[in-house]
Amino acid sequence: MRRSFPALSLVWVLGCAGGDPTDDKDLPAGDSGDTDTDTDTDTDTDTELGTSWYADVDGDGYGDPATEQVSVTQPAGTVADDRDCDDLDPAVHPDATEVCDRVDNDCDAAVDDADASLDPASATLWYLDQDGDAHVGATHTTTACTRPSGAGAAADATDCDDDDAAVNPDAAEVCNDGVDNNCDTSSAPCRLGDLGLSDADIVYQAGASDEQSGASVALLDIDGDGDLDLLVGADYGDESTANVGEVTAFTTHTLGTVGAASAFGVARIGTTSTYADARFGAAVARIGDLDGDGTDDWVGGAPGYGGEVGAYAVFSGGSTFRVDATSFATGVGGHDECGTSVAGGEDLSGDGAPDWVVGCPGDSWGSVQVYTGGAPLSLTASTGSAYLGTSVALGDVDGDGVGDLVVGAPSEESAYLFLGPLVASGSVAALSDGFYTGRSDIGETAGTVGDPNDDGYTDFVIGAGVTSVARFFGGAASGVMSNHIDTGRYATAIAGGDLDGDGVDDLALGYDSGMGEVAFYYGPVGAAFTAGEWREVAGASGVGLGTALAIGDLDGDGLGDLVVGGSGDDTVAANAGAVWVFLGQGL
């Protein structure tokens, strides 16, 4: 049977077992049975149950959080810190240094460049493309584990100005702007290269068909403003009567196409049928300031005048264009063809005044009329059918301060040099100081070209038209014509001047062969011309490029500009002709 006990006995038993049944200090801390809210000083912890320990396999002092075990005592191979993110690598733990290796070395969940605590010494130095021109510069850098977009290594740092997108190795060099645009660090001139007609900076176009404008060109200051102007001969122009010819002057040089309507004026030698077929403008040349008015005067040839007797006319410069000649002369009779060639701008007599010459190759055996003031000096050939005077050129070849004369006689296959001062008339045999022969049609063209061999003397070129290559002659104090080399090029026109601003004259040769072409060579000229160093201006079918040439500073930038005539150009009308100008480019 069940026994019953008084309630007091139960209380006594409980009291003996531990006191107040509402006091939980004898229960394990955290026991779910704790319900009291007393404020006693119970200090029991769960250490009696154990501490969390973590395996430290790699021995770096940090454990793997996935290996927790609770124990009152520390098991072997464990640690209390559970922050190791790779317990198989002793180099990976919270106190490690973040380096570039695609590993979260310091266990902060950020890797390499994404970690602000990355050791920069472990990163690569990258060179940036700051200006976005697809070229890496050397002035803007960063350190990073992975190559930033557009960046490169030191070897890629080829942009010499990474703050300017217009400056990089692929940029076109802009001459005379003081900037190394293409980063080549070269002091070589920024020169004209191979060209086509579309590369011309200025194009002068004729006004009508069959004028053959560009048959001749000359540069001079015709209006006295200090800037060079351009004369363009059109020897088949019908300005007043059939094939009388004309010379157009242009005094402004706006880039682009300049039509005949923009001309300063058109010169003529006559308006009646008497002047028909005169072909005025077949040759033109600057004389200089004959009348002291501050403007250049000029001479033009008309070899067809009077049934090929020929004529030549002198025109004065001025603020308004002189339409009619101030003086006019014809050949002495027969088929002199005077005016086939003209040249001027040198003092041939030593009197300080500019002189000019006119070639009359049909005068018996040929002659040259030399104007030094007063009656002309006549230089005549000493052999039959020499065609002396087919070409003429003036320059101080021997460096004595007095002008000298070069004359071609292609039918004799010869060229002659006459050293100034020229003071008396006579024959070629009597007056020639230099003589060259032995090449077919040599003397068809002649031109002084400045000093392309850079020896201090004026040089000249003698050509044979389209028959054989031209020869370059270096000037010398002796005046002999032995210092010559083959150009390797034909020459229907000849010019010289400094196209690139390096202080040495350059050489240009025209070759009128239907399409035509112009070749130019940068000085200094050495012992021989290097074939690969010639630059080309290519013509087009029927243009006849190379009928005339000149080099001079038309745009006033201190560099010579290349002026090229093409009398067969059809742009305006059939055989109207045109002149192209390629502005020089220098340092």
Side-chain angles (χ1 to χ4, degrees):
M1 79 178 198
R2 172 183 290 181
R3 293 181 182 181
S4 61
F5 298 92
L8 286 176
S9 299
L10 177 59
V11 170
W12 178 84
V13 172
L14 292 173
C16 293
D20 186 351
T22 65
D23 186 354
D24 62 357
K25 67 181 181 179
D26 294 319
L27 295 175
D31 191 301
S32 60
D34 292 347
T35 59
D36 64 320
T37 59
D38 65 318
T39 59
D40 63 16
T41 58
D42 181 7
T43 59
D44 290 344
T45 67
D46 61 358
T47 56
E48 299 176 25
L49 297 179
T51 299
S52 292
W53 303 98
Y54 305 91
D56 181 14
V57 175
D58 56 13
D60 60 5
Y62 297 88
D64 181 352
T67 63
E68 180 184 21
Q69 55 181 300
V70 178
S71 174
V72 174
T73 60
Q74 181 178 1
T78 66
V79 294
D81 193 316
D82 66 346
R83 293 178 297 155
D84 199 340
C85 54
D86 185 351
D87 198 37
L88 298 178
D89 187 344
V92 176
H93 54 76
D95 286 338
T97 300
E98 185 72 21
V99 296
C100 293
D101 59 0
R102 299 184 181 180
V103 173
D104 181 12
N105 308 96
D106 56 3
C107 296
D108 61 356
V111 178
D112 290 358
D113 293 324
D115 195 334
S117 65
L118 175 73
D119 180 7
S122 73
T124 300
L125 179 64
W126 298 105
Y127 294 82
L128 304 178
D129 177 16
Q130 185 73 18
D131 56 14
D133 60 4
H135 291 276
V136 174
T139 54
H140 299 282
T141 63
T142 190
T143 54
C145 302
T146 304
R147 183 196 297 259
S149 176
D156 302 315
T158 57
D159 193 338
C160 55
D161 186 351
D162 203 37
D163 292 307
D164 187 345
V167 176
N168 60 70
D170 288 337
E173 188 66 27
V174 178
C175 299
N176 303 316
D177 67 349
V179 177
D180 180 13
N181 308 93
N182 62 2
C183 298
D184 63 359
T185 68
S186 172
S187 60
C190 175
R191 294 167 161 172
L192 293 170
D194 291 337
L195 302 166
L197 297 182
S198 62
D199 295 313
D201 299 287
I202 308 172
V203 181
Y204 296 96
Q205 292 183 335
S209 63
D210 297 318
E211 287 188 356
Q212 298 195 26
S213 180
S216 62
V217 295
L219 298 174
L220 71 170
D221 182 10
I222 200 169
D223 55 5
D225 64 356
D227 297 322
L228 283 182
D229 307 312
L230 173 64
L231 293 180
V232 179
D235 58 343
Y236 284 91
D238 298 331
E239 196 269 337
S240 56
T241 188
N243 299 330
V244 62
E246 60 195 45
V247 175
T248 302
F250 297 91
T251 60
T252 56
H253 309 290
T254 305
L255 299 184
T257 300
V258 180
S262 300
F264 183 49
V266 179
R268 64 193 182 195
I269 57 170
T271 59
T272 67
S273 59
T274 301
Y275 298 93
D277 300 315
R279 295 182 51 231
F280 173 60
V284 292
R286 170 186 174 272
I287 296 175
D289 188 5
L290 285 171
D291 52 14
D293 66 352
T295 64
D296 280 333
D297 307 317
W298 59 279
V299 57
Y305 175 78
E308 297 184 345
V309 169
Y312 42 103
V314 173
F315 291 76
S316 296
S319 57
T320 58
F321 191 62
R322 305 296 174 85
V323 172
D324 297 307
T326 55
S327 66
F328 180 80
T330 65
V332 296
H335 299 283
D336 295 350
E337 300 177 37
C338 281
T340 295
S341 61
V342 296
E346 290 285 339
D347 177 12
L348 295 173
S349 63
D351 64 359
D355 304 318
W356 77 97
V357 299
V358 178
C360 305
D363 177 12
S364 183
W365 299 329
S367 70
V368 177
Q369 306 302 309
V370 182
Y371 284 84
T372 61
L377 165 69
S378 181
L379 303 178
T380 59
S382 59
T383 59
S385 303
Y387 266 75
L388 183 80
T390 298
S391 61
V392 292
L394 301 182
D396 185 7
V397 172
D398 59 0
D400 66 352
V402 180
D404 308 312
L405 169 63
V406 180
V407 181
S411 292
E412 193 183 31
E413 300 180 354
S414 303
Y416 296 87
L417 172 63
F418 300 87
L419 298 179
L422 301 182
V423 294
S425 62
S427 68
V428 168
L431 290 179
S432 174
D433 298 283
F435 172 74
Y436 173 79
T437 189
R439 177 157 293 188
S440 178
D441 290 339
I442 199 74
E444 186 75 30
T445 53
T448 49
V449 292
D451 187 17
N453 66 3
D454 200 27
D455 65 353
Y457 293 94
T458 297
D459 307 320
F460 57 97
V461 173
I462 303 295
V466 298
T467 304
S468 57
V469 298
R471 280 201 155 171
F472 175 91
F473 292 80
S478 64
V480 299
M481 298 177 69
S482 59
N483 182 19
H484 55 73
I485 54 177
D486 278 348
T487 64
R489 297 280 175 165
Y490 296 95
T492 55
I494 301 164
D498 189 0
L499 293 168
D500 56 9
D502 66 352
V504 180
D505 287 319
D506 310 310
L507 172 65
L509 303 178
Y511 177 43
D512 173 19
S513 61
M515 289 182 63
E517 65 180 24
V518 171
F520 55 100
Y521 195 97
Y522 289 107
V525 172
F529 286 89
T530 303
E533 293 298 317
W534 286 98
R535 301 290 179 262
E536 303 277 355
V537 182
S541 180
V543 167
L545 197 69
T547 51
L549 287 177
I551 296 177
D553 185 12
L554 279 172
D555 61 353
D557 66 352
L559 300 172
D561 307 316
L562 180 61
V563 181
V564 181
S567 60
D569 182 63
D570 297 331
T571 302
V572 171
N575 294 319
V579 173
W580 295 264
V581 178
F582 302 88
L583 299 181
Q585 295 184 354
L587 294 172

